[in-house]
């Protein structure tokens, strides 16, 4: 069993490694604190399981998943992140993630999830809303990733890159990367146009 953990947080990686080694028979586990490091591993070998954090320092979740589907099409991808909204989880499940393991899972939940994953089974927390049909809308969530939506919400409040970075706990450089991806996704050229685009769609949902 070969496992790749893509997560910028050392303690999270260490905890997951401990659980995996408790239940897997001599697993080969590799750690990547960024998507760039993960890609170097993926270019050299195949993996049975990939645990993927949603908030990476150098990649948006959607492009990251597209890349993973290309370089590791048969690998079981597990979303390993903090608790997320139903809509966010649905987005990544639709984009190719097979399983979801929230970081706030209890010891018993984590044990059952890891055993299922090591057996090749899919694991989704017991939440009926995850399997409900999605409502079709023209809201911003149809175009942007969860992290991009967070940034757009703050951008629409008139905050600077530095202020947004401080609130989200990431660097200004990462904010600029996200904004560039947002502008491309919604086909605008600057912050003003992006803010107007976002506010118009939010107004449409309210009306």
């Amino acid at each position: 069993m070969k496992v790749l953990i893509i997560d910028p947080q050392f303690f999270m990686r260490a905890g997951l490694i401990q659980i995996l080694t408790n239940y897997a028979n001599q697993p080969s586990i590799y750690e990547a604190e960024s998507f760039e490091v993960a890609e170097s591993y993926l270019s050299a070998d195949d993996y049975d399981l990939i645990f993927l954090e949603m908030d990476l320092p150098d990649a948006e979740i959607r492009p990251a998943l597209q890349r993973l589907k290309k370089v590791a099409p048969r690998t079981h991808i597990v979303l390993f992140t903090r608790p997320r909204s139903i809509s966010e989880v649905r987005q990544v499940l639709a984009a190719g993630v097979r399983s979801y393991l929230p970081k706030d899972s209890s010891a018993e939940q984590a044990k059952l999830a890891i055993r299922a994953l090591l057996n090749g089974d899919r694991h989704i927390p017991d939440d009926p809303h995850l399997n409900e049909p999605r409502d079709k809308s023209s809201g911003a969530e149809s175009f942007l990733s969860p992290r991009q939506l967070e940034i757009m919400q703050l951008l629409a409040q008139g905050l600077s890159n530095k202020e947004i970075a401080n609130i989200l706990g990431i660097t200004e450089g990462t904010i600029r990367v996200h904004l560039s991806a947002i502008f491309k996704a919604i086909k605008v050229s600057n912050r003003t146009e992006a803010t107007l685009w976002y506010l118009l769609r939010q107004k449409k949902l309210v009306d």
Side-chain angles (χ1 to χ4, degrees):
M1 173 68 71
K2 297 195 70 171
V3 180
L4 176 61
I5 303 172
I6 310 174
D7 194 308
Q9 299 178 327
F10 167 76
F11 285 111
M12 286 297 174
R13 298 197 307 269
L16 182 56
I17 289 171
Q18 181 63 50
I19 298 174
L20 287 166
T21 53
N22 284 343
Y23 295 104
N25 183 22
Q26 297 183 328
S28 296
I29 303 175
Y30 297 79
E31 302 175 65
E33 69 274 12
S34 68
F35 196 72
E36 181 181 8
V37 174
E39 286 200 286
S40 68
Y41 284 130
L42 290 164
S43 65
D45 214 338
D46 295 327
Y47 294 85
D48 301 293
L49 280 173
I50 293 177
F51 288 86
L52 178 66
E53 164 60 57
M54 212 163 176
D55 293 325
L56 297 173
D58 60 344
E60 274 286 337
I61 187 65
R62 286 185 181 178
L65 285 171
Q66 290 172 356
R67 180 63 178 159
L68 289 176
K69 287 173 68 177
K70 183 177 180 179
V71 300
R74 293 182 295 276
T75 300
H76 187 143
I77 301 174
V78 184
L79 180 66
F80 178 59
T81 191
R82 63 180 173 80
R84 298 285 183 165
S85 68
I86 297 300
S87 62
E88 289 176 314
V89 177
R90 281 174 171 169
Q91 285 182 43
V92 293
L93 290 175
V97 167
R98 289 190 59 199
S99 297
Y100 171 40
L101 177 59
K103 287 183 176 178
D104 70 339
S105 299
S106 67
E108 185 63 23
Q109 290 170 334
K111 178 177 70 174
L112 293 174
I114 294 299
R115 283 179 170 173
L117 294 169
L118 292 173
N119 286 330
D121 297 327
R122 190 182 186 199
H123 174 77
I124 301 291
D126 187 17
D127 189 331
H129 297 296
L130 285 173
N131 296 314
E132 290 179 355
R134 296 181 63 181
D135 294 331
K136 296 183 182 293
S137 75
S138 59
E141 66 274 9
S142 301
F143 297 83
L144 304 177
S145 71
R147 175 59 93 187
Q148 289 172 339
L149 281 172
E150 287 181 322
I151 291 172
M152 280 303 308
Q153 289 164 0
L154 296 171
L155 187 69
Q157 296 174 30
L159 301 182
S160 67
N161 285 1
K162 183 177 182 179
E163 291 170 323
I164 295 172
N166 288 338
I167 291 172
L168 297 181
I170 55 182
T171 67
E172 286 187 69
T174 301
I175 293 296
R176 287 193 291 271
V177 171
H178 285 309
L179 287 175
S180 178
I182 290 171
F183 294 169
K184 183 177 180 180
I186 64 178
K187 296 179 173 57
V188 301
S189 57
N190 55 54
R191 298 165 67 93
T192 301
E193 291 177 359
T195 299
L196 180 60
W197 178 93
Y198 176 78
L199 293 175
L200 285 173
R201 274 163 176 74
Q202 295 306 104
K203 184 177 186 300
K204 182 181 290 188
L205 290 180
V206 172
D207 293 345

